[in-house]
Amino acid sequence: MPKKKKLLVVAIVIVILIILGSIYAYKEYNRKGSNIELTNSIYSNTATGLINDFTSNEKASNTKYLSKVIAINGEVKKIDSDQKGNPTIVLGDANSMSSVRCNLDSLYASAAASILIGQKITIKGICTGYLADELGIGSDVILIHCIIQKK
């Protein structure tokens, strides 16, 4: 094969690889997350039970809950906002410093307006971790992309 034909074949292969890579990158960049509302929760627990699970055995709880959709029922301790202004519903025992922090999905943020402190609700979201109490301010379990399942 002449040298010009080899260079042409190599150039075509490179162009095809660049196009395929660009298509893949575009699709990944614009990929939508899964709809938590349509996803079944793998585990269901109370806020106090979830906190106790992590407190008693963090490693086993990480294996069980991390990156999984879970449903948590509990009493609303307070309602905060994250850095973007989206509501964070804090569940747990009012007498405890520890809590489950549920960052509401932005599509469901308006639902937080009807939530009252002390109300018992069920929230479904993805568990992203546990912030252990090292300073005496209470431990937190974090859920993201949360929706309010039951009021």
Side-chain angles (χ1 to χ4, degrees):
M1 188 185 275
K3 191 174 185 179
K4 283 187 177 184
K5 283 189 178 181
K6 284 183 184 179
L7 287 174
L8 182 61
V9 169
V10 169
I12 291 172
V13 169
I14 290 172
V15 168
I16 290 172
L17 289 174
I18 290 172
I19 291 171
L20 291 175
S22 298
I23 291 170
Y24 176 77
Y26 177 79
K27 285 184 176 185
E28 282 298 306
Y29 181 76
N30 292 302
R31 178 174 42 137
K32 302 284 186 222
S34 64
N35 187 341
I36 297 296
E37 192 170 20
L38 302 176
T39 305
N40 291 328
S41 56
I42 296 174
Y43 297 105
S44 183
N45 204 340
T46 63
T48 308
L50 184 65
I51 294 164
N52 289 339
D53 284 354
F54 274 98
T55 303
S56 63
N57 191 340
E58 185 177 353
K59 187 174 181 179
S61 295
N62 281 335
T63 302
K64 182 176 181 179
Y65 296 114
L66 277 187
S67 301
K68 296 189 175 76
V69 176
I70 59 176
I72 300 299
N73 3 336
E75 188 176 313
V76 177
K77 287 173 68 171
K78 66 179 176 175
I79 300 173
D80 286 336
S81 294
D82 65 10
Q83 301 87 347
K84 295 179 183 177
N86 293 322
T88 298
I89 297 177
V90 181
L91 300 178
D93 181 5
N95 298 322
S96 172
M97 296 291 288
S98 298
S99 59
V100 178
R101 300 184 64 78
C102 307
N103 299 324
L104 287 185
D105 189 291
S106 60
L107 297 175
Y108 300 92
S110 61
S114 63
I115 302 297
L116 302 172
I117 305 298
Q119 182 178 357
K120 293 195 182 284
I121 62 172
T122 300
I123 293 183
K124 185 167 62 169
I126 300 171
C127 182
T128 60
Y130 172 69
L131 303 173
D133 182 12
E134 308 233 346
L135 302 173
I137 58 174
S139 303
D140 289 328
V141 179
I142 309 297
L143 300 180
I144 61 168
H145 301 298
C146 295
I147 62 165
I148 299 169
Q149 240 182 347
K150 288 188 248 173
K151 293 182 185 176

